[in-house]
Amino acid sequence: MYYHPEESFKRSELDKLQTERLRAVVENAKKSPFYGSLLKDFDVSELNTAKDITKLPFTTKDDLRSQYPYGLLTRPLDDFVRLHASSGTTGSPTAILYTQNDIDLWAALMARSMYAAGIRRSDVLQNTSGYGLFTGGLGIHYGSERLGCLTVPAGAGNTRRQIKLIRDFNVTVLHIIPSFALYFAQKVAEEGFDPAEMPWKIALIGAEPHTEETRQRIEELMHIKAYNSYGLTEMNGPGVAFECTEQSGMHVWEDAYIAEIIDPATGEHVPEGEIGELVMTTLTREGMPIIRYRTRDLTRFIPGQCACGREHRRIDRIAGRVDDMFIVKGVNIYPMQIEQVLMSMPEVGQNYVIELIREGFMDQIRVKVEVKEDYFVEDMRVLQKLQKSIASRLCNEVLVTPRVELVMHDSIPKTAGKAIRVVDLRDKEEEG
Ligand code: ADP
Ligand code: ZN
């Protein structure tokens, strides 16, 4: 059972709809100062199928920054009712403006995504995202209300109050950032509650890269089903791609977006199933359409059909951001490779941080790893053995032997929003 008729569209119907909508998007986009000049000579008759999208130029984050704040608007400012801005994880933020129609369509996409993850109007949803400019607040909130759920706008932080609300109002669904979920599970236990006894059933986790190992950990610690939720402010926010109850990749809502995966170096499409940079086009946003936006997020299309019957293509969990990659001793490393190893080890606690340091003239990685309380024993030999075992497993994965520093559980500072996984200390003074 689906929430929206277009979810049941077959491939051919989706292709046809995308082609029509793409033409309309280009026509509409030309009304904005930015695309008006960029696409001045582009004739939409060149778009015979949605695949012809490759004839159009990319839009980059720098374009959005240079057009800040109004360069991409297709209509007068009076028609807009809302503004959001990206979190600014990788630099100065960009702003997106929405008309009333855009807000309504986004809420419907969000409601559909939640429904696909098994959420119904009888559910009570607590949103632990920060409200404000971040789309994870109001975006999730409007979707949840649209679906008809009682919605608790708890906002970020204040773990005790979160727990109280969950218990008092029988919250069945949590929207929670994965790094906060790990921390939260631990806090619930510390407050003397058994996570298995909490009323929750479903967690929507997203907003930051995380591994399958992390998802499993969240599910085990919280006794919950965790569904991956992908979105970005430039494409409205959450509700761009979402896991259905099969938990086998995220369906991109292809009636609302065109997704492409390119080689970031050449801009060409990668072969089906290979990892590359996700490029996204809005098909239904009227006020601020964006064409071929380079998300900087790395993923791949999952080949084949999903058992749920939806033919909207699935993307794999985000392997990381192009900008997250760091190079040590000539090797390219992504934080998620490190997380994968750490989160699969039962001794490892819920938090870690990767520090890039300089030893002499060499770059090196130092991984600070929280150890679970039960394992943080006095016996140095036990800890040394654990340290060695983590270092050797990490070396197998990333081909560089990192320095591993074991720290007490809960000792790495926890940020309120997205976790900061990599800290570059190379230009700071370092011990030799
Ligand atoms: P910022 O890029 O400043 O963090 P946003 O708040 O718009 O801006 O967040 C969107 C970004 O968050 C995405 O481009 C992606 O890097 C990350 N993200 C969102 N959802 C997920 C997810 N489910 N898995 C991994 N990364 C995600
Ligand atoms: Zn599915």
Side-chain angles (χ1 to χ4, degrees), residues 84-87 94-96 98 133 135 231-237 285:
H84 280 289
S86 69
S87 317
T94 52
I96 300 295
Y98 310 70
L133 290 173
T135 52
L232 63 163
T233 311
E234 293 81 353
M235 294 290 124
N236 292 332
R285 194 162 65 199

Side-chain angles (χ1 to χ4, degrees), residues 20-38:
E20 280 162 19
R21 290 194 168 165
L22 180 61
R23 287 198 196 120
V25 163
V26 172
E27 287 293 10
N28 182 37
K30 282 185 179 191
K31 295 179 196 148
S32 72
F34 174 65
Y35 288 116
S37 97
L38 190 68

Side-chain angles (χ1 to χ4, degrees), residues 86-89 206-209 228-233 297 318 321 418:
S86 69
S87 317
T89 309
E208 67 184 4
N228 199 352
S229 143
Y230 174 77
L232 63 163
T233 311
D297 290 328
I318 305 296
R321 301 181 191 233
K418 305 190 186 209

Side-chain angles (χ1 to χ4, degrees), residues 157-225:
N158 202 340
T159 336
R160 280 220 177 106
R161 194 181 59 176
Q162 301 271 8
I163 297 173
K164 180 165 166 46
L165 287 167
I166 292 166
R167 289 167 46 84
D168 291 354
F169 295 97
N170 269 314
V171 168
T172 51
V173 183
L174 276 183
H175 175 247
I176 190 161
I177 290 182
S179 56
F180 184 61
L182 290 172
Y183 170 83
F184 192 57
Q186 189 176 296
K187 288 288 151 205
V188 168
E190 280 171 24
E191 291 290 319
F193 300 109
D194 178 0
E197 302 292 317
M198 296 294 272
W200 56 43
K201 293 183 305 197
I202 294 175
L204 305 178
I205 55 171
E208 67 184 4
H210 58 283
T211 58
E212 183 58 37
E213 287 73 13
T214 297
R215 184 233 293 268
Q216 280 170 15
R217 219 173 232 242
I218 293 170
E219 291 196 326
E220 279 159 25
L221 285 169
M222 298 183 79
H223 296 262
I224 210 164
K225 273 268 166 211

